[in-house]
Amino acid sequence: MTTAFRCVTILAAIVLVALVLTPTLYGAGTASPTSMADLTLLNAANRDRAAAGLPPLQWDGALAAAAHQHALRMAQMNTLSHQFPGEPPTQDRARRAGARFSMIAENVAEGPSVTGLHIQWMNSPPHRANLLDKELNSVGISVVQSGNMLFAVEDFSVAVPSMSLDAQEQQVQSQLAARGLQVVDATADARKTCESDHGWAGQRPAGVMRYETADIRNLPQDIDLRLSSGKYRSAAVGACEAGGSQDFARFRVAILLY
């Protein structure tokens, strides 16, 4: 038997995927699967993704830790669920385990064999969709045995890297330089501007742009369009902590245009 759950929030789509592992200790730092059950399911998922022309899922130890705690609960309750009474929702479990993401997905299943779990998911359209989602790039898997039954959880995500403010600013500065803008040393002013929702700090700029994104590698389309006008010659970049919901990781940036 399998269950699947998917919902959409203002910031990101949530896709929940769970697997069952033999009892193992998990930590947010585990860089690779810690059991044969984990590895079998990871390899099966990536084999089917390769057949569909998709890149492989990367192992995420924090997601695995979250998946393991939920798999233990399913085994203890002897039933499938994406959230038991008193248990945080999937995105909270993953975040508390240390995962950073802009999208998260989960499949859960129970069955007598590891290979059978993957077959169940692939034969179920919503679970198959999670496994073959081209946007998802990371996974943590856990399989817990209770008697003769395996309870499995796969937690998938679109991972968001952890970056210092300096590193975020350098990423955006390189994008601006590639578009012919000179990057000026007004980072302190740009950071103060980033921290507010209105106005600017320092010298009056010709324009101010603020945005939040989970993909710091690319400028939002509307900002790219504005820069293509040719009105601006230089810019300063400031990053700051994004406010609002903590479930989905994202970056906040301000660009002062001159």
Side-chain angles (χ1 to χ4, degrees):
M1 181 171 70
T2 63
T3 66
F5 168 75
R6 181 185 293 261
C7 70
V8 177
T9 71
I10 293 175
L11 295 175
I14 304 176
V15 186
L16 309 178
V17 185
L19 280 183
V20 181
L21 295 171
T22 52
T24 310
L25 293 177
Y26 291 84
T30 53
S32 60
T34 56
S35 79
M36 283 303 298
D38 296 353
L39 184 60
T40 298
L41 288 172
L42 176 63
N43 288 341
N46 282 336
R47 181 178 62 246
D48 286 332
R49 286 177 67 88
L54 299 172
L57 295 165
Q58 301 300 310
W59 183 261
D60 187 311
L63 290 179
H68 185 63
Q69 291 303 311
H70 187 60
L72 285 173
R73 282 189 181 240
M74 292 198 307
Q76 291 164 359
M77 301 296 289
N78 194 35
T79 189
L80 298 180
S81 177
H82 286 291
Q83 183 181 7
F84 291 102
E87 183 185 32
T90 306
Q91 63 268 30
D92 285 355
R93 299 196 301 264
R95 178 176 54 81
R96 292 176 185 181
R100 287 174 51 84
F101 50 86
S102 61
M103 179 185 292
I104 189 167
E106 180 172 82
N107 288 348
V108 300
E110 62 177 317
S113 72
V114 174
T115 54
L117 295 171
H118 182 71
I119 292 172
Q120 286 187 63
W121 282 323
M122 289 301 290
N123 286 337
S124 165
H127 296 86
R128 180 186 179 92
N130 287 343
L131 282 160
L132 301 182
D133 190 313
K134 64 181 181 180
E135 294 187 53
L136 297 170
N137 56 27
S138 298
V139 68
I141 299 171
S142 182
V143 178
V144 171
Q145 185 169 358
S146 179
N148 295 325
M149 191 64 64
L150 298 175
F151 291 85
V153 176
E154 287 178 328
D155 282 337
F156 303 90
S157 79
V158 176
V160 175
S162 178
M163 299 173 67
S164 68
L165 297 183
D166 286 340
Q168 295 173 42
E169 290 158 357
Q170 290 169 9
Q171 185 76 248
V172 177
Q173 287 167 358
S174 65
Q175 295 162 14
L176 297 178
R179 289 161 175 79
L181 285 153
Q182 178 184 356
V183 176
V184 298
D185 184 13
T187 301
D189 290 340
R191 285 188 179 182
K192 290 178 183 178
T193 302
C194 181
E195 292 167 356
S196 66
D197 292 327
H198 307 284
W200 62 86
Q203 175 188 346
R204 182 185 181 96
V208 177
M209 297 185 294
R210 296 178 181 87
Y211 66 96
E212 294 189 5
T213 180
D215 183 8
I216 196 71
R217 300 168 301 174
N218 297 294
L219 291 173
Q221 187 174 8
D222 58 335
I223 289 180
D224 211 7
L225 183 62
R226 184 172 176 181
L227 294 176
S228 68
S229 68
K231 292 172 54 179
Y232 310 107
R233 297 291 179 264
S234 60
V237 177
C240 61
E241 295 298 325
S245 171
Q246 297 180 347
D247 289 341
F248 299 93
R250 61 200 190 282
F251 305 100
R252 180 175 170 90
V253 177
I255 302 174
L256 301 178
L257 296 167
Y258 305 100

